[in-house]
Amino acid sequence: MAIVFQRPHALKETQMHYCPGCTHGIIHRMVAEVIDELGIEGTTIGVSPVGCAYNNYLYFNCDMVQAPHGRAPAVATGIKRVHPDNTVFTYQGDGDLAAIGTAEIVHAANRGEKITTIFINNAIYGMTSGQMAPTTLIGQVTTTSPFGRKPEIEGYPVNVCEMLATLKGAAFVERVSTHDIKNLNKTKRAIKKAFQVQMAGLGFSIVEVLSTCPTNWGMDPVKSLKWVEEKMIPQYPLGNFRGKDLEV
Amino acid sequence: MAQIDIIFSGFGGQGIQAAGKLIAYAGMLENKHVSFLPSYGPEMRGGTSNCHVIVSDDPIGSPILNSATVVMAMNRPSLDKFEKYLEPGGILLVDSSLVNRRPERKDIRVFEIPATQIASDLGNLAFANIVMLGKLIHETGAVSAEYIEKGLKKVLPERKHYLIPDEMKALKIGMEY
Amino acid sequence: MGEKILMKGNEVIAEAALRAGCRHYFGYPITPQTEVAHYFAKKMPEYGGTFIQAESEIAAMNMVYGAASAGARVMTSSSSPGISLKQEAISYAACAELPAVIVNIVRAGPGLGGILASQCDYFQSTKGGGHGDYRMVVLAPSSVQELYELVVDAFNIADRYRTLCMIMGDGMLGQMMEGVEFSDQEEIFKADKGWAVTGTGMTRENNMITSIYIDPEILEKHNLKLQAKYREITENETRVETYNCDGADIIVAAYGTVARIIKNVIKTAEKEGIKVGLIRPITLWPFPTATFEKYAEVPKAFLSVEMSAGQMVEDVRLSLNGKSPVHFLGRMGGMIPTQKEILEKIREILK
Ligand SMILES: Cc1ncc(C[n+]2csc(CCOP(=O)(O)OP(=O)(O)O)c2C)c(N)n1
Ligand code: SF4
Ligand SMILES: [Mg+2]
């Protein structure tokens, strides 16, 4: 990959544990770069999810809290209300945010909680070995949809951004992807804006990042990126759903 | 043979779990008591894989091993981790095509088999574990080759049964190595 | 009995449930019991049953509440943090007297903890992890074969007494493969579920499933009824294995996979001339108090060995009621007591 930078200060030197070709790592790097660029490492507090990123509190140099499965937005709410001048973000997978944590994310957004959520949509439960996620595509085979996801039985993929964009408290909602450099750059811009929206006190902000799970998709890294582009984006169109014109 | 405690270890994808399962199945078919315990959870990430197998004439106590009478190490990290698990007099089998150091202990029996090389010569890298297993059953008498063949019929799905003659060939090469 | 096959504990749980007539399973993925759900996902369609991966353990247990109210044989499974989330509906189901089977493949806690084997949920399971004066039957298998048998029994006990029944194992039991022989025909208790909600068909009074009793006198009466049922279960369903106890120098109390380690210890100790006995509770609730009373005067001491900070040992002490010294050896965090340390402890106690 052509993007070779120095390690951002907000990221520790610790070796990350993600599988080869998993895009969790690059997203961490972009969050850290944004923290560096905004100069907020000393005032930022992150909340780790339960999912493959469960121990990303080991990777960031800012203060970090590990939350129960799906509850990161509630934990972040508690932190933010104690330290309203700090920047608080959650980092959550699609099982964490869109299944067990649906209530927490909806209500944090609806309260216009001034936090930022980085939402990793990889259409699967990575950590627990490839079960169906709410975001799993129709027909996608997983360990708990062994015959492919069928809408009659398992319902439809959940489009989180479209859903949250209906809430007044959600100030900034954008979906981005990791499948090529152009989109990685857009991802970073979106993350930066989401943090800025929070810092400007405008309300809740979320960036949904389409991400890969080569291990549980049973694909090599290159094919995984193609799968994001060809299969995921039609279900999860990229773009801004709220707050495009916010001045920050 | 009263009880054989085996640790299989290597990279994910080297057929470590398959080898463990196979010997357990073969032992069970041979009317022995067996247990098979895989490593599980996020351990699978990072690529190492191991399992504990016990084959015994008597009912089995703990399926988890704090020490072993046999260790089969298919890569360097496995050797580094499990060499010390061996009881004195125990058997260490190493895939010498992939492990670039010699075992250190002097109080054990060491067998270095270039299993991956042999498998590659046979035209199927996936047979390395079977080559190793051949040597293992030859040195330990844990189960007989006949029951490995019966076990293969159980652990392999029907559509893969055509592979069994070749697997048995690889097993024999290992046994005679 | 059929042919012996090599199967993983978690898969045996699902297979046993299907054989016991369970056609409804609701769960949420969590290590180390994910294979239970994977197995159901694959097999349920063949049986025309329902497999749902719920959005959370809270939802899964409430789906169980609904399906049990509707009269079905129903199961959920999870591991420690997930079982914590089920507690609200567990308490409700206990009050509403709903039969259902809950599997807890315990992992090391507290918190998110670790995924390795542990017995740290003994208190939660046997003393009521949810609120209120309720009990549920807790079965603790120690082999894959026994896992199969107890899952079938669990459904029968649940239906017979209109109670919740928990299977409590650990990651070792769930993950390990052992030989298992399935019966050609499991014994299935056929309950009359006239209380279930099925639609009145305009032929009977309506059925109501509830757990709210605002009137204190009525609620107390309901509690007394529950307590009477728990006494009946205690009388009829307490299960325990004793091994080598007569004339033992020391009796070890251990359940589940730990009891297997003790059986190894017994053999080794024998060579040193120490006679070690084992009392293995199979029902953790109801606890086999009478068995401990029976052997109270036999050994010089009792030793409870657990993968916890010391939970079952409290019930051992209560059962012995001061008649014998009770010692404890425990490991935590996913660490497993070794034969060696257990033997050392035994030697030290007997010194
Ligand atoms: C209460 C509770 N239930 C279940 C789990 C098990 N669990 C760990 S991670 C996970 C799902 C993770 O999937 P996702 O959020 O999509 O993250 P990914 O691993 O894909 O990044 C689950 C169900 C848990 N730790 N706690
Ligand atoms: S399992 Fe999937 S999501 Fe988890 S680290 Fe591996 S590739 Fe990434
Ligand atoms: Mg995911």
Side-chain angles (χ1 to χ4, degrees), chain A residues 50 66 69 71 95 99-100 125 128-129 131-132 143-144 146-147, chain C residues 28-29 31 34 38 41-42 45 51 53 55-58 85 112:
Chain A
V50 174
Q66 208 288 323
H69 195 22
R71 318 301 176 209
I100 195 168
Y125 284 36
T128 42
S129 67
Q131 291 83 8
M132 191 188 72
T143 49
T144 49
F147 309 107
Chain C
Y28 186 80
T31 312
T34 47
H38 299 176
K42 261 210 205 99
F51 161 80
Q53 180 183 319
E55 68 272 26
S56 69
E57 292 86 352
I58 299 175
L85 286 179
L112 197 48

PDB file of all heavy atoms in Angstrom, chain A residues 50 66 69 71 95 99-100 125 128-129 131-132 143-144 146-147, chain C residues 28-29 31 34 38 41-42 45 51 53 55-58 85 112:
ATOM      1  N   VAL A  50     -16.502  -4.647  22.728  1.00  0.00           N
ATOM      2  CA  VAL A  50     -16.237  -6.085  22.767  1.00  0.00           C
ATOM      3  C   VAL A  50     -16.407  -6.568  21.337  1.00  0.00           C
ATOM      4  O   VAL A  50     -17.462  -6.426  20.738  1.00  0.00           O
ATOM      5  CB  VAL A  50     -17.200  -6.818  23.718  1.00  0.00           C
ATOM      6  CG1 VAL A  50     -16.981  -8.320  23.623  1.00  0.00           C
ATOM      7  CG2 VAL A  50     -16.965  -6.346  25.144  1.00  0.00           C
ATOM      8  N   GLN A  66     -12.444   0.225  28.680  1.00  0.00           N
ATOM      9  CA  GLN A  66     -13.020  -0.935  28.000  1.00  0.00           C
ATOM     10  C   GLN A  66     -14.456  -1.114  28.487  1.00  0.00           C
ATOM     11  O   GLN A  66     -14.693  -1.162  29.691  1.00  0.00           O
ATOM     12  CB  GLN A  66     -12.171  -2.176  28.314  1.00  0.00           C
ATOM     13  CG  GLN A  66     -12.182  -3.264  27.249  1.00  0.00           C
ATOM     14  CD  GLN A  66     -13.476  -4.015  27.175  1.00  0.00           C
ATOM     15  OE1 GLN A  66     -14.094  -4.263  28.208  1.00  0.00           O
ATOM     16  NE2 GLN A  66     -13.909  -4.368  25.986  1.00  0.00           N
ATOM     17  N   HIS A  69     -20.081  -5.412  26.248  1.00  0.00           N
ATOM     18  CA  HIS A  69     -20.505  -5.610  24.859  1.00  0.00           C
ATOM     19  C   HIS A  69     -21.711  -4.735  24.512  1.00  0.00           C
ATOM     20  O   HIS A  69     -22.788  -4.885  25.085  1.00  0.00           O
ATOM     21  CB  HIS A  69     -20.861  -7.087  24.695  1.00  0.00           C
ATOM     22  CG  HIS A  69     -20.985  -7.547  23.273  1.00  0.00           C
ATOM     23  ND1 HIS A  69     -20.397  -6.907  22.206  1.00  0.00           N
ATOM     24  CD2 HIS A  69     -21.631  -8.629  22.754  1.00  0.00           C
ATOM     25  CE1 HIS A  69     -20.683  -7.560  21.097  1.00  0.00           C
ATOM     26  NE2 HIS A  69     -21.428  -8.600  21.391  1.00  0.00           N
ATOM     27  N   ARG A  71     -22.225  -1.595  25.044  1.00  0.00           N
ATOM     28  CA  ARG A  71     -22.582  -0.483  25.952  1.00  0.00           C
ATOM     29  C   ARG A  71     -21.675   0.726  25.830  1.00  0.00           C
ATOM     30  O   ARG A  71     -21.802   1.676  26.611  1.00  0.00           O
ATOM     31  CB  ARG A  71     -22.608  -0.953  27.405  1.00  0.00           C
ATOM     32  CG  ARG A  71     -23.250  -2.297  27.670  1.00  0.00           C
ATOM     33  CD  ARG A  71     -24.698  -2.382  27.243  1.00  0.00           C
ATOM     34  NE  ARG A  71     -25.191  -3.739  27.465  1.00  0.00           N
ATOM     35  CZ  ARG A  71     -26.146  -4.321  26.768  1.00  0.00           C
ATOM     36  NH1 ARG A  71     -26.752  -3.660  25.784  1.00  0.00           N
ATOM     37  NH2 ARG A  71     -26.516  -5.548  27.029  1.00  0.00           N
ATOM     38  N   GLY A  95     -21.602  -6.070  15.405  1.00  0.00           N
ATOM     39  CA  GLY A  95     -22.347  -6.856  16.384  1.00  0.00           C
ATOM     40  C   GLY A  95     -22.533  -6.024  17.631  1.00  0.00           C
ATOM     41  O   GLY A  95     -23.631  -5.923  18.193  1.00  0.00           O
ATOM     42  N   ALA A  99     -26.331  -4.860  17.096  1.00  0.00           N
ATOM     43  CA  ALA A  99     -27.140  -5.956  17.646  1.00  0.00           C
ATOM     44  C   ALA A  99     -27.377  -5.677  19.121  1.00  0.00           C
ATOM     45  O   ALA A  99     -28.344  -5.021  19.504  1.00  0.00           O
ATOM     46  CB  ALA A  99     -26.439  -7.299  17.444  1.00  0.00           C
ATOM     47  N   ILE A 100     -26.424  -6.100  19.935  1.00  0.00           N
ATOM     48  CA  ILE A 100     -26.634  -6.020  21.387  1.00  0.00           C
ATOM     49  C   ILE A 100     -26.682  -4.577  21.876  1.00  0.00           C
ATOM     50  O   ILE A 100     -27.321  -4.272  22.868  1.00  0.00           O
ATOM     51  CB  ILE A 100     -25.550  -6.849  22.124  1.00  0.00           C
ATOM     52  CG1 ILE A 100     -25.927  -7.113  23.583  1.00  0.00           C
ATOM     53  CG2 ILE A 100     -24.187  -6.217  22.002  1.00  0.00           C
ATOM     54  CD1 ILE A 100     -25.054  -8.158  24.261  1.00  0.00           C
ATOM     55  N   TYR A 125     -19.520 -11.193  12.709  1.00  0.00           N
ATOM     56  CA  TYR A 125     -18.898 -11.196  14.030  1.00  0.00           C
ATOM     57  C   TYR A 125     -17.502 -11.787  13.845  1.00  0.00           C
ATOM     58  O   TYR A 125     -17.364 -12.985  13.624  1.00  0.00           O
ATOM     59  CB  TYR A 125     -19.674 -12.077  15.010  1.00  0.00           C
ATOM     60  CG  TYR A 125     -20.953 -11.479  15.538  1.00  0.00           C
ATOM     61  CD1 TYR A 125     -21.757 -10.683  14.754  1.00  0.00           C
ATOM     62  CD2 TYR A 125     -21.352 -11.730  16.846  1.00  0.00           C
ATOM     63  CE1 TYR A 125     -22.934 -10.146  15.246  1.00  0.00           C
ATOM     64  CE2 TYR A 125     -22.534 -11.195  17.348  1.00  0.00           C
ATOM     65  CZ  TYR A 125     -23.314 -10.403  16.542  1.00  0.00           C
ATOM     66  OH  TYR A 125     -24.469  -9.872  17.034  1.00  0.00           O
ATOM     67  N   THR A 128     -15.844 -13.800  17.465  1.00  0.00           N
ATOM     68  CA  THR A 128     -16.388 -15.073  17.943  1.00  0.00           C
ATOM     69  C   THR A 128     -16.470 -16.121  16.835  1.00  0.00           C
ATOM     70  O   THR A 128     -17.204 -17.086  16.962  1.00  0.00           O
ATOM     71  CB  THR A 128     -17.781 -14.852  18.562  1.00  0.00           C
ATOM     72  OG1 THR A 128     -18.498 -13.953  17.720  1.00  0.00           O
ATOM     73  CG2 THR A 128     -17.670 -14.264  19.940  1.00  0.00           C
ATOM     74  N   SER A 129     -15.754 -15.909  15.776  1.00  0.00           N
ATOM     75  CA  SER A 129     -15.583 -16.835  14.663  1.00  0.00           C
ATOM     76  C   SER A 129     -16.733 -16.876  13.669  1.00  0.00           C
ATOM     77  O   SER A 129     -17.276 -17.926  13.365  1.00  0.00           O
ATOM     78  CB  SER A 129     -15.187 -18.253  15.125  1.00  0.00           C
ATOM     79  OG  SER A 129     -16.223 -18.863  15.838  1.00  0.00           O
ATOM     80  N   GLN A 131     -19.982 -15.417  13.034  1.00  0.00           N
ATOM     81  CA  GLN A 131     -21.444 -15.538  13.038  1.00  0.00           C
ATOM     82  C   GLN A 131     -22.073 -14.393  12.227  1.00  0.00           C
ATOM     83  O   GLN A 131     -21.421 -13.392  11.912  1.00  0.00           O
ATOM     84  CB  GLN A 131     -22.005 -15.499  14.471  1.00  0.00           C
ATOM     85  CG  GLN A 131     -21.662 -16.712  15.311  1.00  0.00           C
ATOM     86  CD  GLN A 131     -20.299 -16.616  15.946  1.00  0.00           C
ATOM     87  OE1 GLN A 131     -19.647 -15.583  15.889  1.00  0.00           O
ATOM     88  NE2 GLN A 131     -19.842 -17.716  16.536  1.00  0.00           N
ATOM     89  N   MET A 132     -23.355 -14.558  11.955  1.00  0.00           N
ATOM     90  CA  MET A 132     -24.103 -13.529  11.254  1.00  0.00           C
ATOM     91  C   MET A 132     -24.172 -12.259  12.106  1.00  0.00           C
ATOM     92  O   MET A 132     -24.377 -12.323  13.306  1.00  0.00           O
ATOM     93  CB  MET A 132     -25.521 -14.038  10.998  1.00  0.00           C
ATOM     94  CG  MET A 132     -26.304 -13.176  10.049  1.00  0.00           C
ATOM     95  SD  MET A 132     -28.022 -13.719   9.988  1.00  0.00           S
ATOM     96  CE  MET A 132     -28.601 -13.176  11.587  1.00  0.00           C
ATOM     97  N   THR A 143     -21.336 -18.695  10.064  1.00  0.00           N
ATOM     98  CA  THR A 143     -21.465 -19.908  10.878  1.00  0.00           C
ATOM     99  C   THR A 143     -22.868 -20.057  11.470  1.00  0.00           C
ATOM    100  O   THR A 143     -23.258 -21.152  11.839  1.00  0.00           O
ATOM    101  CB  THR A 143     -20.423 -19.954  12.009  1.00  0.00           C
ATOM    102  OG1 THR A 143     -20.443 -18.712  12.698  1.00  0.00           O
ATOM    103  CG2 THR A 143     -19.033 -20.206  11.462  1.00  0.00           C
ATOM    104  N   THR A 144     -23.611 -18.972  11.580  1.00  0.00           N
ATOM    105  CA  THR A 144     -24.988 -19.109  12.065  1.00  0.00           C
ATOM    106  C   THR A 144     -26.030 -18.856  10.970  1.00  0.00           C
ATOM    107  O   THR A 144     -27.233 -18.852  11.247  1.00  0.00           O
ATOM    108  CB  THR A 144     -25.275 -18.170  13.267  1.00  0.00           C
ATOM    109  OG1 THR A 144     -24.833 -16.859  12.937  1.00  0.00           O
ATOM    110  CG2 THR A 144     -24.553 -18.661  14.509  1.00  0.00           C
ATOM    111  N   PRO A 146     -25.682 -20.834   7.887  1.00  0.00           N
ATOM    112  CA  PRO A 146     -24.873 -21.737   7.057  1.00  0.00           C
ATOM    113  C   PRO A 146     -25.436 -21.934   5.655  1.00  0.00           C
ATOM    114  O   PRO A 146     -24.730 -22.378   4.762  1.00  0.00           O
ATOM    115  CB  PRO A 146     -24.884 -23.054   7.849  1.00  0.00           C
ATOM    116  CG  PRO A 146     -26.048 -22.975   8.769  1.00  0.00           C
ATOM    117  CD  PRO A 146     -26.254 -21.530   9.064  1.00  0.00           C
ATOM    118  N   PHE A 147     -26.715 -21.603   5.466  1.00  0.00           N
ATOM    119  CA  PHE A 147     -27.297 -21.749   4.133  1.00  0.00           C
ATOM    120  C   PHE A 147     -27.461 -20.389   3.459  1.00  0.00           C
ATOM    121  O   PHE A 147     -28.183 -20.247   2.475  1.00  0.00           O
ATOM    122  CB  PHE A 147     -28.643 -22.480   4.233  1.00  0.00           C
ATOM    123  CG  PHE A 147     -28.535 -23.773   5.024  1.00  0.00           C
ATOM    124  CD1 PHE A 147     -29.064 -23.870   6.302  1.00  0.00           C
ATOM    125  CD2 PHE A 147     -27.847 -24.862   4.495  1.00  0.00           C
ATOM    126  CE1 PHE A 147     -28.937 -25.045   7.043  1.00  0.00           C
ATOM    127  CE2 PHE A 147     -27.712 -26.034   5.229  1.00  0.00           C
ATOM    128  CZ  PHE A 147     -28.252 -26.131   6.500  1.00  0.00           C
TER     129      PHE A 147
ATOM    130  N   TYR C  28     -27.114 -16.132  21.559  1.00  0.00           N
ATOM    131  CA  TYR C  28     -26.281 -15.039  21.080  1.00  0.00           C
ATOM    132  C   TYR C  28     -24.837 -15.512  21.192  1.00  0.00           C
ATOM    133  O   TYR C  28     -24.487 -16.123  22.196  1.00  0.00           O
ATOM    134  CB  TYR C  28     -26.528 -13.789  21.942  1.00  0.00           C
ATOM    135  CG  TYR C  28     -25.812 -12.565  21.423  1.00  0.00           C
ATOM    136  CD1 TYR C  28     -26.340 -11.842  20.361  1.00  0.00           C
ATOM    137  CD2 TYR C  28     -24.611 -12.158  21.975  1.00  0.00           C
ATOM    138  CE1 TYR C  28     -25.673 -10.737  19.861  1.00  0.00           C
ATOM    139  CE2 TYR C  28     -23.934 -11.051  21.481  1.00  0.00           C
ATOM    140  CZ  TYR C  28     -24.468 -10.336  20.428  1.00  0.00           C
ATOM    141  OH  TYR C  28     -23.797  -9.249  19.934  1.00  0.00           O
ATOM    142  N   PRO C  29     -24.013 -15.276  20.159  1.00  0.00           N
ATOM    143  CA  PRO C  29     -22.674 -15.884  20.157  1.00  0.00           C
ATOM    144  C   PRO C  29     -21.804 -15.430  21.331  1.00  0.00           C
ATOM    145  O   PRO C  29     -21.806 -14.249  21.678  1.00  0.00           O
ATOM    146  CB  PRO C  29     -22.053 -15.365  18.857  1.00  0.00           C
ATOM    147  CG  PRO C  29     -23.181 -14.858  18.032  1.00  0.00           C
ATOM    148  CD  PRO C  29     -24.256 -14.445  18.968  1.00  0.00           C
ATOM    149  N   THR C  31     -17.879 -17.003  23.057  1.00  0.00           N
ATOM    150  CA  THR C  31     -16.892 -18.045  23.292  1.00  0.00           C
ATOM    151  C   THR C  31     -16.961 -18.421  24.776  1.00  0.00           C
ATOM    152  O   THR C  31     -17.125 -17.524  25.592  1.00  0.00           O
ATOM    153  CB  THR C  31     -15.486 -17.498  22.950  1.00  0.00           C
ATOM    154  OG1 THR C  31     -15.565 -16.854  21.684  1.00  0.00           O
ATOM    155  CG2 THR C  31     -14.447 -18.594  22.918  1.00  0.00           C
ATOM    156  N   THR C  34     -19.862 -21.181  21.201  1.00  0.00           N
ATOM    157  CA  THR C  34     -20.447 -20.786  19.918  1.00  0.00           C
ATOM    158  C   THR C  34     -20.905 -21.984  19.084  1.00  0.00           C
ATOM    159  O   THR C  34     -21.851 -21.870  18.314  1.00  0.00           O
ATOM    160  CB  THR C  34     -19.432 -19.988  19.088  1.00  0.00           C
ATOM    161  OG1 THR C  34     -18.185 -20.674  19.115  1.00  0.00           O
ATOM    162  CG2 THR C  34     -19.229 -18.599  19.635  1.00  0.00           C
ATOM    163  N   HIS C  38     -23.905 -22.942  16.200  1.00  0.00           N
ATOM    164  CA  HIS C  38     -23.550 -23.353  14.833  1.00  0.00           C
ATOM    165  C   HIS C  38     -24.244 -24.674  14.484  1.00  0.00           C
ATOM    166  O   HIS C  38     -24.739 -24.856  13.372  1.00  0.00           O
ATOM    167  CB  HIS C  38     -22.034 -23.532  14.686  1.00  0.00           C
ATOM    168  CG  HIS C  38     -21.246 -22.279  14.958  1.00  0.00           C
ATOM    169  ND1 HIS C  38     -19.878 -22.246  14.958  1.00  0.00           N
ATOM    170  CD2 HIS C  38     -21.642 -21.013  15.242  1.00  0.00           C
ATOM    171  CE1 HIS C  38     -19.461 -21.018  15.226  1.00  0.00           C
ATOM    172  NE2 HIS C  38     -20.517 -20.252  15.406  1.00  0.00           N
ATOM    173  N   ALA C  41     -27.926 -24.109  13.972  1.00  0.00           N
ATOM    174  CA  ALA C  41     -28.168 -23.384  12.720  1.00  0.00           C
ATOM    175  C   ALA C  41     -28.180 -24.359  11.548  1.00  0.00           C
ATOM    176  O   ALA C  41     -28.988 -24.249  10.631  1.00  0.00           O
ATOM    177  CB  ALA C  41     -27.097 -22.310  12.512  1.00  0.00           C
ATOM    178  N   LYS C  42     -27.272 -25.337  11.611  1.00  0.00           N
ATOM    179  CA  LYS C  42     -27.187 -26.315  10.533  1.00  0.00           C
ATOM    180  C   LYS C  42     -28.327 -27.318  10.578  1.00  0.00           C
ATOM    181  O   LYS C  42     -28.889 -27.685   9.560  1.00  0.00           O
ATOM    182  CB  LYS C  42     -25.866 -27.075  10.656  1.00  0.00           C
ATOM    183  CG  LYS C  42     -24.816 -26.555   9.734  1.00  0.00           C
ATOM    184  CD  LYS C  42     -23.850 -27.663   9.323  1.00  0.00           C
ATOM    185  CE  LYS C  42     -22.529 -27.041   8.946  1.00  0.00           C
ATOM    186  NZ  LYS C  42     -21.534 -27.098  10.001  1.00  0.00           N
ATOM    187  N   PRO C  45     -33.216 -26.703  10.528  1.00  0.00           N
ATOM    188  CA  PRO C  45     -34.107 -26.798   9.370  1.00  0.00           C
ATOM    189  C   PRO C  45     -34.562 -28.232   9.084  1.00  0.00           C
ATOM    190  O   PRO C  45     -35.731 -28.462   8.766  1.00  0.00           O
ATOM    191  CB  PRO C  45     -33.254 -26.244   8.223  1.00  0.00           C
ATOM    192  CG  PRO C  45     -32.237 -25.374   8.875  1.00  0.00           C
ATOM    193  CD  PRO C  45     -31.968 -25.990  10.227  1.00  0.00           C
ATOM    194  N   PHE C  51     -34.259 -21.783  14.844  1.00  0.00           N
ATOM    195  CA  PHE C  51     -33.000 -21.293  15.403  1.00  0.00           C
ATOM    196  C   PHE C  51     -32.972 -19.795  15.180  1.00  0.00           C
ATOM    197  O   PHE C  51     -33.093 -19.331  14.059  1.00  0.00           O
ATOM    198  CB  PHE C  51     -31.799 -21.931  14.705  1.00  0.00           C
ATOM    199  CG  PHE C  51     -30.528 -21.147  14.919  1.00  0.00           C
ATOM    200  CD1 PHE C  51     -29.827 -21.282  16.099  1.00  0.00           C
ATOM    201  CD2 PHE C  51     -30.072 -20.243  13.972  1.00  0.00           C
ATOM    202  CE1 PHE C  51     -28.673 -20.532  16.330  1.00  0.00           C
ATOM    203  CE2 PHE C  51     -28.921 -19.494  14.191  1.00  0.00           C
ATOM    204  CZ  PHE C  51     -28.222 -19.647  15.367  1.00  0.00           C
ATOM    205  N   GLN C  53     -30.622 -16.394  16.076  1.00  0.00           N
ATOM    206  CA  GLN C  53     -29.551 -15.654  16.737  1.00  0.00           C
ATOM    207  C   GLN C  53     -30.154 -14.322  17.130  1.00  0.00           C
ATOM    208  O   GLN C  53     -30.449 -13.470  16.300  1.00  0.00           O
ATOM    209  CB  GLN C  53     -28.367 -15.457  15.800  1.00  0.00           C
ATOM    210  CG  GLN C  53     -27.237 -14.685  16.450  1.00  0.00           C
ATOM    211  CD  GLN C  53     -26.087 -14.429  15.498  1.00  0.00           C
ATOM    212  OE1 GLN C  53     -25.708 -15.290  14.715  1.00  0.00           O
ATOM    213  NE2 GLN C  53     -25.529 -13.230  15.565  1.00  0.00           N
ATOM    214  N   GLU C  55     -30.586 -10.590  19.118  1.00  0.00           N
ATOM    215  CA  GLU C  55     -29.717  -9.414  19.094  1.00  0.00           C
ATOM    216  C   GLU C  55     -28.928  -9.268  20.380  1.00  0.00           C
ATOM    217  O   GLU C  55     -28.005  -8.456  20.458  1.00  0.00           O
ATOM    218  CB  GLU C  55     -30.550  -8.148  18.811  1.00  0.00           C
ATOM    219  CG  GLU C  55     -31.511  -7.721  19.917  1.00  0.00           C
ATOM    220  CD  GLU C  55     -32.885  -8.401  19.805  1.00  0.00           C
ATOM    221  OE1 GLU C  55     -32.956  -9.512  19.236  1.00  0.00           O
ATOM    222  OE2 GLU C  55     -33.866  -7.825  20.294  1.00  0.00           O
ATOM    223  N   SER C  56     -29.265 -10.046  21.400  1.00  0.00           N
ATOM    224  CA  SER C  56     -28.534  -9.981  22.661  1.00  0.00           C
ATOM    225  C   SER C  56     -28.978 -11.159  23.515  1.00  0.00           C
ATOM    226  O   SER C  56     -29.966 -11.824  23.205  1.00  0.00           O
ATOM    227  CB  SER C  56     -28.853  -8.688  23.422  1.00  0.00           C
ATOM    228  OG  SER C  56     -30.195  -8.726  23.892  1.00  0.00           O
ATOM    229  N   GLU C  57     -28.277 -11.403  24.594  1.00  0.00           N
ATOM    230  CA  GLU C  57     -28.682 -12.457  25.521  1.00  0.00           C
ATOM    231  C   GLU C  57     -29.973 -12.073  26.227  1.00  0.00           C
ATOM    232  O   GLU C  57     -30.763 -12.933  26.607  1.00  0.00           O
ATOM    233  CB  GLU C  57     -27.600 -12.725  26.558  1.00  0.00           C
ATOM    234  CG  GLU C  57     -26.341 -13.357  25.984  1.00  0.00           C
ATOM    235  CD  GLU C  57     -25.354 -12.343  25.440  1.00  0.00           C
ATOM    236  OE1 GLU C  57     -25.702 -11.149  25.368  1.00  0.00           O
ATOM    237  OE2 GLU C  57     -24.233 -12.751  25.092  1.00  0.00           O
ATOM    238  N   ILE C  58     -30.159 -10.789  26.427  1.00  0.00           N
ATOM    239  CA  ILE C  58     -31.401 -10.330  27.071  1.00  0.00           C
ATOM    240  C   ILE C  58     -32.577 -10.761  26.211  1.00  0.00           C
ATOM    241  O   ILE C  58     -33.550 -11.358  26.685  1.00  0.00           O
ATOM    242  CB  ILE C  58     -31.402  -8.786  27.221  1.00  0.00           C
ATOM    243  CG1 ILE C  58     -30.230  -8.353  28.095  1.00  0.00           C
ATOM    244  CG2 ILE C  58     -32.737  -8.295  27.773  1.00  0.00           C
ATOM    245  CD1 ILE C  58     -30.067  -6.844  28.201  1.00  0.00           C
ATOM    246  N   LEU C  85     -26.517 -11.323  31.642  1.00  0.00           N
ATOM    247  CA  LEU C  85     -27.565 -10.547  30.972  1.00  0.00           C
ATOM    248  C   LEU C  85     -28.911 -11.266  30.976  1.00  0.00           C
ATOM    249  O   LEU C  85     -29.944 -10.643  30.809  1.00  0.00           O
ATOM    250  CB  LEU C  85     -27.156 -10.232  29.532  1.00  0.00           C
ATOM    251  CG  LEU C  85     -26.088  -9.156  29.379  1.00  0.00           C
ATOM    252  CD1 LEU C  85     -25.750  -8.961  27.908  1.00  0.00           C
ATOM    253  CD2 LEU C  85     -26.554  -7.842  29.981  1.00  0.00           C
ATOM    254  N   LEU C 112     -15.307  -9.001  31.610  1.00  0.00           N
ATOM    255  CA  LEU C 112     -15.128  -9.698  30.333  1.00  0.00           C
ATOM    256  C   LEU C 112     -14.195 -10.890  30.539  1.00  0.00           C
ATOM    257  O   LEU C 112     -14.303 -11.901  29.867  1.00  0.00           O
ATOM    258  CB  LEU C 112     -14.565  -8.725  29.288  1.00  0.00           C
ATOM    259  CG  LEU C 112     -14.660  -9.093  27.809  1.00  0.00           C
ATOM    260  CD1 LEU C 112     -16.040  -9.551  27.416  1.00  0.00           C
ATOM    261  CD2 LEU C 112     -14.236  -7.901  26.963  1.00  0.00           C
TER     262      LEU C 112
END
